[in-house]
Amino acid sequence: MNATKTILWASTIAGMLASSLSFAAPQETPPDFVKRIADQLIAQLKQNKAQLQNPAVINKIVSQSIEPHVDAQGFSRLVMGQYYSNQYSTAAQRAQFTQNFRESAINTYAKGLAKYSNEGFSLRPYKDTGAQYPIVMMDFKIANNNKVPVAFQLVDKNNQWKIRNINVSGIDLALTFRDQFKTTVQQNGGNMDKAIASFKPNADAVKDK
């Protein structure tokens, strides 16, 4: 799995499972919101490129540029799928799932950031359709003039835009990890505590078709 793909999926997942704070104003358009976050992240990576192997530096970039801008509860709900209900799990188990998944994603995120090599991006034209979950399309530029299409799905949380899901090269991250979690539950005989404790999202599933 190349460094660009690791950065794309891991940065989003790590952020989705983190703080509920955000600096996005309600009047900010969806593409302006996404562009601002991407600009901030790339600026931090360029500024600290010589120190990206330092865990403290990576963690600071995570907390400042990604974590405040995503919907933690919404993404946990998407990934747990049918198991995010009182029929299959308790509130305590769902909270534990969010915490475990956040830690795993942040670790992968840090590894991806350490491989950053001057990737850039361009926004595609955006049309406001009034959808509940607006989608902003980007093309991430990588080596040999290749591009990776990425779609950010947003949600308005208390008059602040948050990232709800992401699609990389046609692969829906929430659905990908939902399938993986469902398999983990089955492998543990339906024992939710064991499934939550052992679940590790597989970044290698996110690859070119």
Side-chain angles (χ1 to χ4, degrees):
M1 181 177 180
N2 62 43
T4 300
K5 287 297 181 61
T6 303
I7 292 172
L8 290 178
W9 88 262
S11 61
T12 303
I13 301 306
M16 283 179 174
L17 298 172
S19 171
S20 61
L21 299 175
S22 177
F23 300 103
Q27 67 269 24
E28 190 174 27
T29 67
D32 286 346
F33 167 73
V34 172
K35 182 178 185 301
R36 177 168 58 84
I37 294 174
D39 284 340
Q40 289 174 350
L41 174 60
I42 289 177
Q44 286 292 316
L45 293 174
K46 288 182 177 180
Q47 181 179 346
N48 297 279
K49 189 173 182 180
Q51 304 178 65
L52 293 182
Q53 301 296 328
N54 185 336
V57 172
I58 296 295
N59 289 337
K60 184 177 180 180
I61 293 175
V62 172
S63 63
Q64 292 183 346
S65 299
I66 298 296
E67 289 189 352
H69 305 297
V70 274
D71 179 12
Q73 183 178 9
F75 192 74
S76 294
R77 184 186 297 272
L78 287 174
V79 174
M80 289 192 76
Q82 70 187 70
Y83 301 108
Y84 198 96
S85 70
N86 292 331
Q87 179 181 357
Y88 294 100
S89 62
T90 65
Q93 288 173 325
R94 293 191 287 272
Q96 187 63 55
F97 172 86
T98 299
Q99 178 63 27
N100 290 0
F101 191 26
R102 175 182 180 274
E103 292 174 358
S104 178
I106 288 177
N107 288 336
T108 303
Y109 177 46
K111 294 177 182 178
L113 285 177
K115 301 176 183 177
Y116 172 75
S117 58
N118 298 316
E119 290 85 356
F121 70 90
S122 61
L123 281 172
R124 294 189 185 183
Y126 174 79
K127 182 178 180 180
D128 186 357
T129 63
Q132 181 180 4
Y133 304 120
I135 294 176
V136 177
M137 292 291 300
M138 274 187 177
D139 290 305
F140 278 81
K141 304 172 184 178
I142 57 177
N144 300 319
N145 294 319
N146 291 322
K147 297 179 179 179
V148 177
V150 181
F152 294 93
Q153 185 184 76
L154 309 181
V155 62
D156 184 347
K157 300 287 289 186
N158 299 320
N159 296 321
Q160 299 173 333
W161 289 121
K162 298 284 186 83
I163 298 171
R164 180 176 184 267
N165 194 9
I166 184 174
N167 186 300
V168 180
S169 294
I171 298 177
D172 185 303
L173 293 183
L175 292 181
T176 296
F177 292 116
R178 179 188 298 179
D179 290 342
Q180 293 178 5
F181 182 65
K182 182 178 180 179
T183 297
T184 302
V185 173
Q186 293 171 343
Q187 291 174 342
N188 284 276
N191 186 308
M192 192 58 58
D193 287 327
K194 291 182 178 179
I196 291 171
S198 61
F199 177 57
K200 301 294 181 183
N202 180 13
D204 290 332
V206 184
K207 58 186 179 181
D208 290 328
K209 293 183 177 180

